[in-house]
Amino acid sequence: MDVYRITKEPIDVASALIDIADDRAGAQALFLGTVRNEFEGRSSRGLYYDAYEPLAEKELRRIGEELKQEFGALHVVLIHRIGDLPLGVVSVLVAVSTGHRGEAFAAAREGIDRIKLRVPIWKKEHWGNGQDAWHHDPEAFPAK
Amino acid sequence: MNPSTMTVHTLFFSFAADRMNGRHKTLDLPQGTTLGDMVRQYLEPALGPDSRNWLYSVNEEWASWETQLKNGDEIAVIPPVSGG
């Protein structure tokens, strides 16, 4: 089965692998994005994620359909967590099953790249010094 | 309501919400206003010129500059995204 979801709850990795299971599949690829302790050399205490949920879930579904069309993905799970996330936790999951490994790697790679490019989700960095900054805010990240 | 005007609901996210001091605004607009008109006349003064290059949705679907707004529409202002 396919799953396209924005959630405030922890992402259940094991259930995503069950969701993409298929006897026709020779490969499953799983990508997890996790909360990192720095951004461009500045220390970070964690991230806050916001989303425009109805449009974000529609766009996740569209990306999943593209992965099926372009890479022959049999099943796709795309889940993004929102809210305040501490260091180390999973913020985004991409899981695909395909006939062979090449398509699985390619589909997972395109899946996360298209999520980052298109889905209406925003992250705010909680800097180590106590300040906060939305990514892409030109006042917080001046052009270099 | 004045028949020559319509009311639309606007949603703001990320740093656009900071600039607007809130995530929701209700705007009364002249009938016939397009999305592009609304952005240029009502949002750009607060959001800055970059807002012309952002994406927008109307009623939970991506919308173009020429989209004619209607009474009761929900418009979302989508500054550059940063998921992942």
Side-chain angles (χ1 to χ4, degrees):
Chain A
M1 64 181 280
D2 305 316
V3 178
Y4 306 107
R5 184 180 300 144
I6 303 295
T7 181
K8 296 182 174 68
E9 304 301 319
I11 293 175
D12 184 341
V13 176
S15 72
L17 297 180
I18 294 168
D19 291 335
I20 60 170
D22 192 304
D23 288 349
R24 295 170 294 170
Q28 297 184 344
L30 170 68
F31 172 83
L32 303 176
T34 53
V35 179
R36 189 179 50 222
N37 69 356
E38 62 86 30
F39 181 78
E40 294 184 345
R42 289 185 70 177
S43 87
S44 174
R45 295 174 293 122
L47 293 170
Y48 174 79
Y49 285 94
D50 192 15
Y52 182 32
E53 294 183 44
L55 187 54
E57 289 191 342
K58 278 188 196 174
E59 200 66 17
L60 290 177
R61 179 175 298 277
R62 284 190 195 116
I63 291 169
E65 294 301 322
E66 291 166 11
L67 300 181
K68 292 183 174 194
Q69 291 274 329
E70 296 173 34
F71 302 97
L74 299 165
H75 303 283
V76 179
V77 177
L78 304 175
I79 301 174
H80 206 301
R81 190 174 171 190
I82 59 173
D84 252 317
L85 304 191
L87 299 179
V89 307
V90 175
S91 57
V92 59
L93 176 148
V94 175
V96 297
S97 53
T98 61
H100 301 277
R101 69 187 184 285
E103 294 80 17
F105 280 119
R109 175 66 194 243
E110 276 301 309
I112 184 60
D113 285 355
R114 292 180 195 189
I115 287 171
K116 291 176 76 82
L117 198 62
R118 288 169 32 193
V119 180
I121 299 171
W122 300 268
K123 63 160 95 59
K124 178 192 269 183
E125 204 76 49
H126 293 312
W127 296 122
N129 67 4
Q131 294 182 321
D132 292 334
W134 288 107
H135 278 239
H136 297 311
D137 180 349
E139 290 184 5
F141 295 89
K144 288 169 192 161
Chain B
M1 191 180 70
N2 182 331
S4 66
T5 66
M6 58 184 176
T7 301
V8 300
H9 307 285
T10 310
L11 306 179
F12 302 93
F13 298 92
S14 181
F15 62 93
D18 294 347
R19 302 275 194 284
M20 300 302 290
N21 295 312
R23 292 166 62 89
H24 306 271
K25 292 267 188 267
T26 300
L27 293 175
D28 293 319
L29 304 173
Q31 292 283 358
T33 300
T34 64
L35 179 61
D37 296 334
M38 187 191 93
V39 172
R40 282 186 293 264
Q41 293 171 33
Y42 297 89
L43 301 184
E44 194 180 314
L47 295 175
D50 286 350
S51 59
R52 290 192 184 202
N53 302 320
W54 297 351
L55 297 178
Y56 294 82
S57 71
V58 176
N59 300 331
E60 303 179 0
E61 198 44 80
W62 302 110
S64 75
W65 233 219
E66 294 75 31
T67 303
Q68 290 281 339
L69 301 179
K70 303 183 304 297
N71 190 54
D73 278 352
E74 178 184 274
I75 295 131
V77 177
I78 313 282
V81 301
S82 53

